[in-house]
Amino acid sequence: MSSNNLMLDLVANRTARKWSRRENAGRLLWALAMPFFRLSPRPFWVWRRTMLRVFGASVGQEVHVYPTVRIIVPWNLDLGAGCAVGDCAILYALGPITISARATISQGAHLCAGTHDIDDPARPLLKPPINIGSDAWVCADAFVGPGVTVGEGAIVGARAVAMKDVPAHAVVVGNPARQIERKNL
C-alpha cells in the first residue's frame, strides 16, 4: 500500500470515529443540564424521568434513576417500566442500552456500550448495544461490557465483570464472570 493510500485510510478512520455536530450539540446541552439532574432531591423521580425524556431517552413508568447516576448520551437509553438505576452507577451509552422492566442496576455498577476496534490502527469507535433482561439484577460495582445481553432474571454478582452474554436466570460472579449454581428460592 502506498503512503498516500495509508494516509487517506487513517484520515477516513479518524473522521469516521468523530461525533456528528448534532451529537456534539446534544452532548453539550446534556452536560449543561446535568447539574439540574444531579442536584435534584432524591425523591424527585418524575423530574429525572422528564429530563431523560427531554433528551431523547425512552423511559417507562415508575423508573427510579438516582441523582448521582452518570449518564453519557441519554438518547441511547431505553428504560423499561419499574426499573431502577442506583447511586453512582454509570450508563456509558455510546451505543444503545436497554434496561427492561423491573431490572435493577445497583450502586456503582458500570454498563459500557462503547469500545474501539483494536485490530484497526486508527482504533475507530464501536457502539455495540447492551441489553438487560426483565427482572435481572446487576449488583454493586459490577461491569457489563459492550455487546453483552444479561438474560431475564439473571444476576451479575457484586464486582463481577460480564464480557459475555449471561443466560436467563443464571447467576455469575467474579472476573471474568463465571456461572455458579443457584439454590432453590
Side-chain angles (χ1 to χ4, degrees), residues 124-139:
L125 182 63
L126 303 175
K127 303 172 184 179
I130 291 176
N131 292 295
I132 308 296
S134 58
D135 300 305
W137 179 17
V138 178
C139 297

Side-chain angles (χ1 to χ4, degrees), residues 1 5-17 116-126:
M1 180 181 279
N5 286 344
L6 180 60
M7 189 58 132
L8 288 174
D9 255 3
L10 289 174
V11 169
N13 282 332
R14 280 196 201 115
T15 304
R17 69 179 163 180
H116 294 273
D117 183 353
I118 62 171
D119 295 324
D120 185 331
R123 308 285 187 259
L125 182 63
L126 303 175

Side-chain angles (χ1 to χ4, degrees), residues 29-71:
L29 289 173
W30 176 244
L32 294 172
M34 273 308 292
F36 299 102
F37 186 94
R38 293 184 70 82
L39 296 175
S40 62
R42 216 172 158 93
F44 279 35
W45 312 112
V46 174
W47 169 254
R48 288 187 293 280
R49 285 194 298 260
T50 302
M51 281 191 71
L52 288 169
R53 286 181 185 124
V54 165
F55 280 91
S58 173
V59 182
Q61 296 297 312
E62 298 304 316
V63 168
H64 289 148
V65 177
Y66 284 78
T68 57
V69 172
R70 185 169 171 216
I71 299 170

Side-chain angles (χ1 to χ4, degrees), residues 106-179:
S106 287
Q107 65 275 12
H110 188 157
L111 277 56
C112 181
T115 187
H116 294 273
D117 183 353
I118 62 171
D119 295 324
D120 185 331
R123 308 285 187 259
L125 182 63
L126 303 175
K127 303 172 184 179
I130 291 176
N131 292 295
I132 308 296
S134 58
D135 300 305
W137 179 17
V138 178
C139 297
D141 291 323
F143 180 88
V144 177
V148 171
T149 295
V150 175
E152 178 181 340
I155 298 172
V156 178
R159 298 249 168 142
V161 177
M163 296 302 290
K164 295 180 181 175
D165 289 353
V166 178
H169 305 288
V171 178
V172 298
V173 297
N175 180 9
R178 60 179 169 57
Q179 191 168 342

Side-chain angles (χ1 to χ4, degrees), residues 18-35:
K18 289 185 180 177
W19 295 90
S20 73
R21 287 179 192 224
R22 183 177 178 172
E23 287 172 319
N24 278 331
R27 292 177 74 194
L28 175 63
L29 289 173
W30 176 244
L32 294 172
M34 273 308 292

